[in-house]
Amino acid sequence: MLKFKPSNFLRLFNSPPTCATSFYKRQLADHLIPFSSEKGKELFRSSLENRELENYFSLAEQFHTQQEPAFCGLGSLSMVLNSLQCDPNQVWKGVWRYYDENLLTNCCVTKEQVLKKGLQMEQFWCLGVCSGLDIQLFRNSTIEQFRQHVIECCKYQKHHLVINFSRRVLSQTGDGHFSPIGGYNSKEDMVLLLDVARFKYPSYWVSLELLYESMIQIDKTTNNKRGYFTLKPSENASSRFYKLFKSNALMSWRRFCLFLLNDFLPLKRQKLMSATNLSEYLNILITDFEILKNQKPIEYKCDFLFKKEDQIHPSDLEPTTKVVCDILFSFCDTLLNELATCAQHKDEFFTLMDDMKKLDLYKIVKKHIDEYQNQILFYKTPKLDIILTLLLYTIPHRKLPMNENLKRYLVSEHRNFELIPNISSNLSNELRKLSGGVKILCDICEKNKDDLFLNVQSQQQVKQQQVNDSVNNNTCTSTTEQCSHSIDHSHTTSCKLYSWGKQLRWSPCVSQKQKLS
């Protein structure tokens, strides 16, 4: 007697669908030409003959489908970074270092924020800078300027252009979307858009004029125009130390700059300004921690690096002595791990560090550390002398709380890298590139703290005017206070550091948020 065995086909009906409504792709509008169509192939051949597809092949090698519906920005950026052969300095899987969306959510923005609201253009720019790109944001360009940038990027393999546009103008579903441009056809004035949402639309050719129209639409989230980015490798990114401490590493220059500029240095500003020489300055900077003892203490029942996310509140982590030690140790430990594991660049790092030990500034730092080792709480931090020397060389002098006479001495004697006695050409180039990269990262920190605060104030004024207009028209029954509470300031406040699971992260500063509201 034969026994009936349900087929795999029948088993499909035993499980309820995960979504009540689902879709398999969308149909392109008639004015958009599919890349794989006969007309699309003809445009491709024409552009190839005119050398208007030079950037296409490196992008095609790394063509990527975004992992989440809201990850178009992260997917586009990871695709560009891999096509430009940028090293993330962080393991992707196994032993391989490679960019994907998740590696980009350790800096500038969290994965949860992107899943909820997508990626804003300023966040895209910030991620590009922190990943070592020379990235420019254009919001108010004319159509001629846009066309010229498209032509220039399509002529070079190492130049790319990512656009943020409104799908609605292209007769597509949805609205804001990021995707890179993979080519241009001058005869038809059309652009090849490599859509990273391949589950929804294929790559297609679109009129440049129509694409420009879709790009200048107002983003309802930010009340600004959309726009585009030009991306290429940054000269600063060729610095070995800059690559090592990129934002996707466990501890980065950007995170450390944020901590120094927003939290640590302001507490010591008055004492640091009184220092008359570098020895006094170093003594206050790394030896004098009395001022931190008055800060709000952290109740450490265990090391905060091992706490879970829900056990730590951002406002609890003020720059106390223990936090300073833990952060500095994690920062320096990144260098030690690289020296221990990366055979490819180990010799270069050791050569640079040996050259640095011949410099006067290093000798001043090293002498101070050895002389006051019993008073330096983090004396055993690996490569502390190297890290402190690099910071004095690279943190922009205008951001250091230091009296003018000492600042002039630092700049004239130690910041003119080509004229420093006993400096090698390799170390001179390294310090110049590294200081350029750190300056950009410090500018980002300053933007988070100042420009965005002004932006929030402007948004509040607009919201207040809308509330007043609504009250005058008897269309809003809410109070002004209730209406203003609906504004979300979480993406515009400066950053505080908090940590869990052995990984350092940032959260919005609660005290700043309260001040804004």
Side-chain angles (χ1 to χ4, degrees), residues 35-277:
F35 177 59
S36 59
S37 67
E38 292 303 318
K39 178 63 175 177
K41 295 176 185 178
E42 181 183 332
L43 289 170
F44 187 86
R45 284 191 293 267
S46 172
S47 297
L48 192 61
E49 292 174 358
N50 293 328
R51 302 185 66 84
E52 296 169 332
L53 286 166
E54 294 302 305
N55 66 327
Y56 166 80
F57 297 97
S58 60
L59 287 171
E61 285 180 340
Q62 305 295 338
F63 203 170
H64 173 81
T65 301
Q66 62 190 74
Q67 294 179 0
E68 299 285 346
F71 276 14
C72 56
L74 296 178
S76 297
L77 184 56
S78 64
M79 179 176 163
V80 168
L81 286 166
N82 288 325
S83 71
L84 294 174
Q85 300 181 6
C86 296
D87 186 346
N89 279 87
Q90 186 181 14
V91 172
W92 165 62
K93 292 181 181 179
V95 298
W96 301 107
R97 301 197 299 264
Y98 187 76
Y99 272 107
D100 77 346
E101 286 101 323
N102 293 318
L103 292 189
L104 290 169
T105 54
N106 291 338
C107 171
C108 304
V109 66
T110 66
K111 183 176 181 179
E112 292 71 24
Q113 287 176 315
V114 182
L115 285 171
K116 185 177 181 180
K117 295 184 177 181
L119 196 67
Q120 296 181 16
M121 293 191 69
E122 286 77 12
Q123 293 168 338
F124 186 101
W125 173 81
C126 177
L127 286 171
V129 170
C130 293
S131 298
L133 293 179
D134 180 352
I135 177 172
Q136 303 292 328
L137 166 59
F138 298 91
R139 261 207 175 100
N140 299 302
S141 63
T142 65
I143 188 171
E144 289 302 325
Q145 291 170 331
F146 176 54
R147 180 180 287 108
Q148 189 60 38
H149 278 134
V150 170
I151 293 172
E152 289 175 0
C153 287
C154 293
K155 282 184 177 180
Y156 300 99
Q157 187 174 352
K158 294 292 186 179
H159 288 202
H160 294 303
L161 190 149
V162 173
I163 186 170
N164 178 245
F165 64 100
S166 172
R167 285 193 181 276
R168 294 182 181 180
V169 177
L170 304 187
S171 303
Q172 297 178 341
T173 60
D175 195 6
H177 188 60
F178 288 91
S179 276
I181 286 177
Y184 175 68
N185 188 285
S186 55
K187 293 181 179 179
E188 301 287 344
D189 195 27
M190 299 190 81
V191 169
L192 175 59
L193 197 71
L194 302 178
D195 201 321
V196 292
R198 293 195 286 181
F199 54 84
K200 188 175 183 180
Y201 292 106
S203 298
Y204 51 88
W205 291 92
V206 56
S207 163
L208 185 140
E209 291 186 3
L210 183 61
L211 188 60
Y212 177 80
E213 183 66 27
S214 70
M215 184 188 67
I216 61 174
Q217 302 301 306
I218 299 297
D219 182 353
K220 295 179 181 179
T221 304
T222 63
N223 291 324
N224 290 318
K225 287 182 180 180
R226 302 185 182 277
Y228 62 95
F229 305 87
T230 58
L231 310 95
K232 60 183 179 180
S234 170
E235 182 189 12
N236 298 325
S238 61
S239 159
R240 286 296 176 205
F241 285 105
Y242 188 91
K243 285 182 178 179
L244 178 60
F245 297 114
K246 281 166 58 174
S247 297
N248 296 311
L250 180 64
M251 189 38 127
S252 67
W253 283 115
R254 181 175 186 269
R255 288 193 175 111
F256 201 51
C257 290
L258 275 169
F259 175 74
L260 283 175
L261 299 178
N262 293 347
D263 296 312
F264 184 63
L265 291 179
L267 287 175
K268 295 194 170 193
R269 179 177 179 81
Q270 187 172 356
K271 285 191 173 183
L272 289 172
M273 292 293 291
S274 66
T276 58
N277 56 59

Side-chain angles (χ1 to χ4, degrees), residues 434-467:
L434 179 59
S435 62
V438 172
K439 180 183 182 302
I440 294 174
L441 298 183
C442 288
D443 288 340
I444 295 177
C445 302
E446 191 173 76
K447 180 179 178 64
N448 282 341
K449 190 173 181 181
D450 300 327
D451 296 348
L452 293 179
F453 174 74
L454 296 175
N455 184 43
V456 171
Q457 289 182 317
S458 176
Q459 291 181 12
Q460 286 182 315
Q461 292 172 359
V462 173
K463 186 70 176 180
Q464 180 66 47
Q465 184 62 44
Q466 292 175 347
V467 171

Side-chain angles (χ1 to χ4, degrees), residues 364-382:
I364 294 173
V365 172
K366 179 63 174 173
K367 179 181 178 182
H368 185 86
I369 292 175
D370 291 341
E371 184 176 348
Y372 294 95
Q373 58 181 276
N374 294 330
Q375 301 177 42
I376 299 175
L377 301 176
F378 40 85
Y379 171 73
K380 294 183 179 180
T381 302

